[in-house]
Amino acid sequence: MKDEKQFLTFLKKGLEVDSIENSVAPGVNYAYQDTNKIAFVWKGNTLLVGLGFNLDKKKDEMIRLIQSDTERVSIENFINHPSELTRKSLRYNDISSKNFIEFDLKGSRIEIAGELQSDTWNFPQEYLIRELVNENYISKGWINFPNEQLKAALKDMLVDLPVSADSIMAHANGNYVDIEVLKNQVVQTDTIINYAVNDDFETVEEKTAYESKVPNVRFGIRGDESLPKFLPNKLFYQWFQKNDGQFNILSTASTIGKMQAKYMKTNSLSHVAIHLVDWPNALKVTPILMLKAIASDMDFTLKVAGTKQLVFQGTIRDYSHE
């Protein structure tokens, strides 16, 4: 653990742990979160994490373990003894299928790879996506949702927002959405309306324009010609639209109309890349804040290897490489 203060912020604000107990043993601290069934014990820069049920009953065992020098293996020794099957550091197999995921610990990063299969899938092997930025971004990614299960999952993400989720998903029949969060901010102009009484005791409307800096965000959605009228003009921020054939782009920047979008073909069902170190703490997306406490960057790609097979690849980097 590199920064205890940052770790405590992760526990309190990101994970919202139920309790943090200081000095449960000499130099040892303990935290527990029942919702996610996760417990933490730390001493100095050493952190022990427990996952699973009935962890509250294993508190004493975790405390004894972090105080012991004989029951633990160093990271260096662990990396030097990978699994005998694939020579990777860690491997998880689903015993009911051929699915697996592997983790390879390489000092300042973790490389992840896996294969997922299902006889119920029937994925296309080529997709048309918008070319996203290669630099000066905080996060970017896209997802294709060519089956009903993925489409339902995306719709569930929209239902809590004040938008016409049913109409948007009905007309987003291109089965594709992307997002870019850029490092720079943009200026938006809004108007405050106040009411005052004039000398004739009449109520008059007074408008005051003001400017504010907001994140530079772009969404790309593929759909039919009716989709634009269901997309929001204001949701947290003002949104400006550009229709580029079958693609609709929403942006917090009023200059979006001048942007020339480019497209490419890929076999990737989904891709996401996030510079966690640049992610603002004010944007309280819990999973991202949790990862930010331990990692500086991550990127993941889900590729279609066959109509019934997906290949997962990813990298998580810690702060030591900076």
Side-chain angles (χ1 to χ4, degrees):
M1 181 166 58
K2 182 179 179 181
D3 188 330
E4 184 176 12
K5 184 178 179 181
Q6 185 182 44
F7 177 65
L8 289 172
T9 299
F10 152 65
L11 291 180
K12 295 174 183 177
K13 296 183 179 181
L15 195 58
E16 297 180 350
V17 297
D18 300 319
S19 64
I20 298 177
E21 300 178 39
N22 297 314
S23 300
V24 292
V28 178
N29 305 293
Y30 174 83
Y32 177 64
Q33 219 270 10
D34 182 67
T35 303
N36 294 305
K37 308 300 182 202
I38 185 169
F40 303 88
V41 176
W42 65 99
K43 179 183 180 182
N45 61 0
T46 302
L47 172 67
L48 176 64
V49 182
L51 294 167
F53 294 97
N54 302 316
L55 278 174
D56 51 334
K57 299 177 181 178
K58 297 190 176 184
K59 174 180 174 181
D60 292 338
E61 182 181 341
M62 292 181 68
I63 293 172
R64 286 196 303 271
L65 183 58
I66 204 166
Q67 291 178 305
S68 169
D69 292 325
T70 59
E71 297 181 53
R72 288 184 282 127
V73 178
S74 71
I75 290 293
E76 288 79 10
N77 288 336
F78 183 73
I79 294 174
N80 290 335
H81 292 82
S83 71
E84 294 298 321
L85 182 64
T86 62
R87 308 304 297 169
K88 302 298 182 182
S89 304
L90 286 168
R91 180 183 173 97
Y92 168 77
N93 277 81
D94 185 335
I95 60 175
S96 64
S97 69
K98 296 181 180 180
N99 297 343
F100 72 89
I101 186 167
E102 295 177 334
F103 302 85
D104 208 4
L105 308 182
K106 294 190 173 181
S108 65
R109 71 185 191 276
I110 302 174
E111 294 185 356
I112 308 169
E115 292 184 10
L116 308 171
Q117 301 180 54
S118 174
D119 290 335
T120 64
W121 292 342
N122 187 26
F123 288 115
Q125 295 186 266
E126 186 176 81
Y127 301 90
L128 181 68
I129 65 170
R130 185 167 68 93
E131 286 189 18
L132 305 183
V133 293
N134 288 321
E135 56 186 17
N136 297 323
Y137 66 88
I138 296 175
S139 68
K140 65 175 182 177
W142 76 79
I143 181 170
N144 291 281
F145 43 101
N147 66 21
E148 290 304 316
Q149 187 177 5
L150 287 172
K151 197 166 187 176
L154 189 61
K155 182 178 176 180
D156 288 341
M157 296 171 62
L158 296 176
V159 293
D160 292 330
L161 298 174
V163 297
S164 303
D166 288 334
S167 298
I168 289 176
M169 295 309 298
H171 293 279
N173 51 18
N175 298 335
Y176 168 88
V177 63
D178 65 44
I179 182 174
E180 297 168 300
V181 181
L182 307 183
K183 284 187 176 180
N184 67 303
Q185 293 184 312
V186 294
V187 175
Q188 291 192 345
T189 302
D190 209 340
T191 302
I192 298 176
I193 300 177
N194 295 310
Y195 294 92
V197 178
N198 62 17
D199 294 338
D200 297 324
F201 300 100
E202 296 175 330
T203 300
V204 294
E205 184 179 88
E206 296 180 345
K207 295 183 178 181
T208 304
Y210 72 95
E211 294 183 343
S212 60
K213 289 185 176 181
V214 304
N216 191 352
V217 183
R218 293 196 288 250
F219 285 98
I221 307 172
R222 187 165 57 228
D224 62 27
E225 59 184 12
S226 298
L227 176 61
K229 65 183 180 183
F230 296 107
L231 299 176
N233 294 320
K234 192 164 187 178
L235 180 63
F236 307 118
Y237 312 111
Q238 296 180 60
W239 295 97
F240 304 91
Q241 286 194 38
K242 174 184 175 66
N243 183 275
D244 192 2
Q246 59 179 322
F247 280 80
N248 297 277
I249 303 173
L250 281 176
S251 175
T252 54
S254 60
T255 56
I256 186 62
K258 299 178 181 178
M259 188 189 81
Q260 297 298 316
K262 296 181 180 180
Y263 304 99
M264 58 182 284
K265 292 182 179 180
T266 178
N267 66 341
S268 295
L269 184 73
S270 179
H271 173 77
V272 62
I274 303 179
H275 294 312
L276 295 161
V277 67
D278 296 321
W279 187 269
N281 289 327
L283 293 178
K284 297 184 182 300
V285 181
T286 300
I288 293 180
L289 290 178
M290 289 173 64
L291 284 167
K292 181 179 178 178
I294 58 173
S296 64
D297 297 271
M298 69 176 188
D299 58 82
F300 301 112
T301 301
L302 198 58
K303 294 185 177 182
V304 178
T307 57
K308 302 181 184 303
Q309 183 184 34
L310 300 176
V311 173
F312 180 76
Q313 297 173 312
T315 302
I316 299 176
R317 297 177 182 85
D318 69 19
Y319 291 94
S320 66
H321 77 279
E322 295 180 329

